[in-house]
Amino acid sequence: MQPIEENMKSARNDQRQTLVVTGGSSGIGLGVVRTALARGFDVAFTYHHDGPQITELVHELTLAYPDQRCSAFQVDVTDSNAVDNLASLVLNNFGNVHGLALCAGIGADGVLISVTDEEWDHVIKTNVYGCFYCVRSFLPHFVANRSG
C-alpha cells in the first residue's frame, strides 16, 4: 500500500496535528478532510475503490491547502491486517497521529426485506468492525503518547 501524496513535507514537526479519516474520498468523510485541512491539520485519508479521481482529489486538496500534508491510502477497513498496515504507514510517514475520524460506511441497497445475509454481513463488517479495527490499530500509539 503506497500513499497517493503530492505535497511531501520532509520535516516532521511535533507541533503539527495529524488526523486520519476513513472514507475520506467522498461524502461526510471528504467534508471532514476539507475541514481538517482548512483548520491546519495534516490529513491521511482512506478510500476503498481506486480510480483517477483519487489522484485528482489529492492534487486538488494539496493545491487548496499547500501548507498541509494530505495523503490517500487505499484500504479495505474490513480487513484487520490492512488496517494494521495503514497504522504503521501513517505513523511512519507522519510521525504522529492525534485523532481518528471514522467515516467509512455503507448501507444496504434496496428494501430491508430483500437484503441478503451476505449484504448485511458486509454492512456490519464495514460500519462496525471497520471502526473497531481502526481504533485497535491506533490505540497503542494514543496510549503511549497520552493523546488521541
Side-chain angles (χ1 to χ4, degrees), residues 12 69 85-97:
R12 290 181 177 169
R69 288 187 61 192
N85 190 31
L86 168 71
S88 294
L89 285 170
V90 170
L91 289 167
N92 285 334
N93 287 325
F94 285 81
N96 203 354
V97 172

Side-chain angles (χ1 to χ4, degrees), residues 19 38 42 60 66 93 101 107 118 126 137 139 141 144:
L19 182 67
D42 291 336
E60 171 198 327
N93 287 325
E118 293 79 21
T126 301
S137 292
L139 192 58
H141 171 75

Side-chain angles (χ1 to χ4, degrees), residues 9-31:
K9 303 246 190 297
S10 58
R12 290 181 177 169
N13 183 338
D14 289 338
Q15 302 301 318
R16 298 180 76 96
Q17 299 263 325
T18 301
L19 182 67
V20 175
V21 182
T22 63
S25 63
S26 64
I28 292 169
L30 180 55

Side-chain angles (χ1 to χ4, degrees), residues 15-113:
Q15 302 301 318
R16 298 180 76 96
Q17 299 263 325
T18 301
L19 182 67
V20 175
V21 182
T22 63
S25 63
S26 64
I28 292 169
L30 180 55
V32 171
V33 168
R34 290 183 190 281
T35 300
L37 288 167
R39 293 189 177 182
F41 283 83
D42 291 336
V43 175
F45 73 89
T46 70
Y47 63 97
H48 189 254
H49 298 291
D50 198 13
Q53 69 274 13
I54 300 300
T55 303
E56 293 167 13
L57 175 60
V58 171
H59 178 73
E60 171 198 327
L61 292 169
T62 56
L63 287 176
Y65 306 100
D67 294 331
Q68 273 52 61
R69 288 187 61 192
C70 182
S71 297
F73 297 84
Q74 186 173 15
V75 177
D76 178 356
V77 296
T78 69
D79 179 346
S80 65
N81 290 325
V83 174
D84 288 344
N85 190 31
L86 168 71
S88 294
L89 285 170
V90 170
L91 289 167
N92 285 334
N93 287 325
F94 285 81
N96 203 354
V97 172
H98 300 86
L100 302 173
L102 305 175
C103 302
I106 61 169
D109 293 332
V111 209
L112 188 59
I113 200 165

